[in-house]
Amino acid sequence: MTADAARRIKGEVAYLSGQAAENAVAAHYQRAGNKQLAARWRGSVGELDLVFENETKLIFVEVKKSKSIAGAAAHLGSRQIVRLLATAQEYLGHSPDGLLTDVRFDVALVDAIGEIRVIENAIGEG
């Protein structure tokens, strides 16, 4: 196998693993009574992994997967948070209440065995 082929396979495995983690997190939120509005929503600045709605607010969920929960948490950097907030702002531009919409930013951490740990209100402005 060539190095290029190995890189492509590794990338495909990472993509599918991330997608499986997002699907598991989506099911977790749906079981809690949240309605899924979007998955992998692409804006001009970036992507929102998952968007849900409950009775009172929109919930933006950033999903991070790694071998461990701590490793998954380490994958979220400040530049990505800035991009996430900008993308959420763009998403809200399509909402009836716009930027006045009540929102929450969660981070869902997923480890290699599929354990999910959700940190509610993990990301905020200020």
Side-chain angles (χ1 to χ4, degrees), residues 6-86:
R7 276 192 300 277
R8 280 196 306 273
I9 290 170
K10 184 177 179 181
E12 182 69 16
V13 168
Y15 173 81
L16 293 172
S17 177
Q19 195 168 43
E22 288 176 7
N23 290 342
V25 170
H28 174 84
Y29 273 83
Q30 290 167 348
R31 281 191 303 273
N34 299 292
K35 177 183 175 188
Q36 186 171 343
L37 300 179
R40 294 192 173 197
W41 186 87
R42 289 199 82 37
S44 62
V45 178
E47 181 179 277
L48 300 171
D49 290 340
L50 298 166
V51 182
F52 293 93
E53 166 182 68
N54 65 22
E55 301 87 31
T56 61
K57 63 184 68 177
L58 289 183
I59 306 166
F60 296 104
V61 182
E62 179 66 18
V63 178
K64 291 296 176 191
K65 183 182 184 316
S66 191
K67 291 178 184 177
S68 68
I69 294 293
H75 287 292
L76 185 62
S78 59
R79 286 178 38 191
Q80 186 176 17
I81 291 170
V82 168
R83 195 168 48 250
L84 174 65
L85 292 171

